[in-house]
Amino acid sequence: MSFRKINILLSSSFAALIGLTSCSKSFIERNPVDPVTEPEAITNASGMQDALVGVYASYRATSFYGEDLPIIGDVSADNSFIAASNSGYYLTPYQYTFVNNDANYTEMWKQGYNIILNANKIINSSPTGDAETIGEIRSQAYALRALAYFKLINIYARPYTDNPSDSGISITLTDSSAAKPSRNTIKQVYTQIISDYKAALDSAPAYDNSVTLSQYAIEGLLSKAYLYMGDYTNALTQAEDVINNSGFSLVPSSSYASFWSNAAVQQNQQEVMFEIDANSINNNGYDDFAGQYANGYSQIFCDSALYASYSSTDVRRSVLESDTTLVAGKPRIVVHVNKFPNAANADRDNIKVIRLAEVYLIAAEAAYRTGDQATALQYLNALAQTRDPQLTAYASSGTQLLTDIINERRKELAFEGDRLYDLNRLQQTLYRNGTPYKGLPLTSQYITIAYDFYKRIAPIPLDELNANSNMTQNPGY
């Protein structure tokens, strides 16, 4: 049974297992997440499918992929900046002024565990019905749980490559919201993530569309988890299998702009392997994430250093628009982000989770780190020259080759939410100093944050600490 076929009938009404209330983003009041009730037991494949649709819909919440995840990962880093004339959204992660009761990080934590608990309900169920259908549904639940754990561990804990024995987040594999788990180690959490993705692959559905997890989308996510663990041999193996056998292709340069402007669900295996659906019925209204960039609040802009890194023939520059704005009556240069142009349209931009382009970059970095620089260059150039047909092929080696791969990763995945977590896993200092714009007054416009600064990872929410005596806080908060 296709998820897409029933998506219009069943949006985000699936019951959550933990309560969420409306919270504020700075001084702006946010709409509450979907109503909360206790779910009924899953007794058959139809009920299992309905529950799965609810988990997919939970990813669209503004406190997860619907807004916070793709935005905070960039505004907390060096890809974007918030205009001085803003409506109050995302100022605390942008300025690094958040504390342990910050609404952004409280909401993401709650919604992440909401997703995990609902996925647990599906995974632990014993429904009647067609075994193949049940297996495919459970496969997607495993993958959705793994993805939620992956996002949470990157937000609330240090990278695996720092100290795998350090405190991670809590692993909960039951569907009870009454549990009070302690924190597992980072290694234990990643072990669970890998286990879940592998369980998902055991009965993964074949590709049907871009908003349903399928075999090679799951394998791409698995390769990313291996990359973040520093397990480069397995990362390369999984990434190469996707590149060579999935049937997916990179979007050609001539179609790049139209690819991003197309808000429809894809069925052509071009570029996007999995994305969160946001259509004319199921969307976040005024809180659509794309509206933060353009056609809405329009208050987050591209960093000038990032913009300058794209050559004039790089098609990725075509979704960035240099413009002027008035500050104190004087024109100032800004760069608008038009990568997500449908915030004001009926059918909204789907939120990309894994694209073939990223798999090429995973393969390039993993090949480099396993000592195969020739293969690393092959994958790097395959992507870079698709994006810029006039680019002279990279011929770098050694540390410069790694720098080129990371720079291409930044350029390719800009505004999709990974930049801060890439800087963290690379243990790099964050320099936000490329946005002069001739005196545009921006709060925290220039910033340098060392890798070991405690706010490079988020606080465990105060609400969680108050409710769970077994929970511990990250150092510094």
Side-chain angles (χ1 to χ4, degrees):
M1 185 182 221
S2 168
F3 161 71
R4 178 62 181 170
K5 292 176 182 175
I6 62 174
N7 184 43
I8 291 178
L9 297 176
L10 295 162
S11 61
S12 52
S13 59
F14 180 66
L17 286 166
I18 55 177
L20 292 176
T21 59
S22 60
C23 300
S24 62
K25 297 277 187 178
S26 301
F27 57 85
I28 300 295
E29 197 69 23
R30 296 291 294 274
N31 293 328
V33 177
D34 302 316
V36 177
T37 59
E38 191 69 21
E40 297 180 358
I42 297 170
T43 59
N44 54 44
S46 177
M48 197 180 190
Q49 177 68 36
D50 291 350
L52 179 67
V53 172
V55 179
Y56 274 109
S58 294
Y59 266 87
R60 194 175 53 245
T62 57
S63 52
F64 220 61
Y65 266 97
E67 195 171 28
D68 290 357
L69 288 184
I71 290 177
I72 288 176
D74 280 274
V75 300
S76 295
D78 54 1
N79 279 349
S80 54
F81 70 94
I82 299 176
S85 56
N86 62 76
S87 58
Y89 284 90
Y90 302 109
L91 288 180
T92 59
Y94 177 61
Q95 299 170 335
Y96 279 80
T97 56
F98 50 84
V99 292
N100 64 6
N101 64 347
D102 184 87
N104 294 292
Y105 296 108
T106 298
E107 290 177 13
M108 284 193 291
W109 175 275
K110 289 182 177 180
Q111 187 62 11
Y113 277 102
N114 166 40
I115 290 168
I116 289 166
L117 292 174
N118 282 328
N120 290 345
K121 187 74 175 179
I122 298 169
I123 292 167
N124 298 334
S125 66
S126 301
T128 60
D130 177 70
E132 182 179 358
T133 299
I134 289 172
E136 290 183 354
I137 294 170
R138 186 171 280 116
S139 162
Q140 293 168 75
Y142 271 118
L144 290 167
R145 184 171 76 179
L147 179 58
Y149 275 127
F150 180 77
K151 299 309 294 187
L152 291 174
I153 192 70
N154 277 282
I155 295 168
Y156 298 96
R158 289 284 181 186
Y160 188 100
T161 50
D162 187 326
N163 179 9
S165 299
D166 203 354
S167 294
I169 56 173
S170 300
I171 298 173
T172 176
L173 305 180
T174 71
D175 47 69
S176 170
S177 59
K180 297 183 185 298
S182 58
R183 298 175 70 173
N184 293 88
T185 66
I186 295 169
K187 182 177 182 179
Q188 288 171 331
V189 176
Y190 269 94
T191 298
Q192 185 63 51
I193 291 167
I194 300 301
S195 175
D196 279 356
Y197 279 138
K198 287 183 174 180
L201 287 172
D202 284 342
S203 53
Y207 176 80
D208 181 57
N209 57 62
S210 60
V211 297
T212 306
L213 280 161
S214 54
Q215 176 187 345
Y216 288 106
I218 295 168
E219 196 168 350
L221 291 168
L222 175 59
S223 72
K224 184 172 183 175
Y226 279 131
L227 179 76
Y228 271 63
M229 288 178 69
D231 185 346
Y232 302 115
T233 298
N234 276 317
L236 180 59
T237 297
Q238 301 298 329
E240 287 191 314
D241 189 48
V242 172
I243 292 168
N244 296 329
N245 300 313
S246 69
F248 281 85
S249 60
L250 295 170
V251 63
S253 59
S254 59
S255 305
Y256 185 81
S258 60
F259 166 78
W260 287 103
S261 65
N262 182 8
V265 172
Q266 303 298 301
Q267 294 182 295
N268 59 6
Q269 288 189 281
Q270 188 175 86
E271 187 75 44
V272 60
M273 304 175 72
F274 176 56
E275 59 187 352
I276 307 300
D277 193 16
N279 55 45
S280 58
I281 295 175
N282 303 313
N283 61 69
N284 292 322
Y286 290 110
D287 281 331
D288 185 87
F289 88 102
Q292 295 289 339
Y293 292 105
N295 302 313
Y297 292 100
S298 303
Q299 60 192 2
I300 302 179
F301 300 99
C302 174
D303 178 79
S304 63
L306 173 60
Y307 181 68
S309 71
Y310 299 101
S311 73
S312 61
T313 55
D314 191 324
V315 294
R316 292 172 295 196
R317 196 168 184 170
S318 67
V319 296
L320 302 172
E321 180 184 353
S322 181
D323 198 359
T324 59
T325 187
L326 291 178
V327 177
K330 298 179 180 180
R332 296 290 184 264
I333 299 171
V334 293
V335 177
H336 295 282
V337 177
N338 290 322
K339 198 172 185 177
F340 320 108
N342 295 294
N345 297 334
D347 193 1
R348 305 298 177 86
D349 298 275
N350 294 338
I351 303 107
K352 306 296 187 284
V353 177
I354 186 73
R355 297 189 286 116
L356 184 63
E358 182 173 10
V359 178
Y360 270 85
L361 291 164
I362 291 170
E365 184 176 344
Y368 169 83
R369 292 185 185 277
T370 54
D372 189 349
Q373 295 192 29
T375 298
L377 279 169
Q378 173 191 333
Y379 290 124
L380 176 62
N381 284 317
L383 174 65
Q385 291 186 299
T386 298
R387 296 299 186 243
D388 186 354
Q390 296 186 35
L391 175 71
T392 300
Y394 285 103
S396 49
S397 61
T399 56
Q400 183 57 50
L401 174 54
L402 179 60
T403 297
D404 292 337
I405 293 169
I406 299 304
N407 287 342
E408 282 295 328
R409 183 174 177 87
R410 180 189 184 191
K411 290 156 66 176
E412 179 64 33
L413 301 178
F415 318 112
E416 296 178 53
D418 273 348
R419 179 59 175 168
L420 176 65
Y421 313 112
D422 275 332
L423 289 172
N424 282 353
R425 72 176 176 86
L426 296 166
Q427 300 185 23
Q428 292 184 354
T429 299
L430 193 166
Y431 299 103
R432 189 189 297 159
N433 55 10
T435 316
Y437 293 122
K438 299 180 181 178
L440 184 63
L442 303 168
T443 307
S444 296
Q445 177 180 346
Y446 305 100
I447 197 168
T448 299
I449 298 179
Y451 164 69
D452 59 0
F453 180 55
Y454 75 97
K455 287 192 175 182
R456 288 284 289 262
I457 59 173
I460 303 300
L462 182 61
D463 285 355
E464 180 68 28
L465 295 170
N466 289 338
N468 181 0
S469 59
N470 295 319
M471 186 61 58
T472 57
Q473 183 58 277
N474 284 323
Y477 291 101

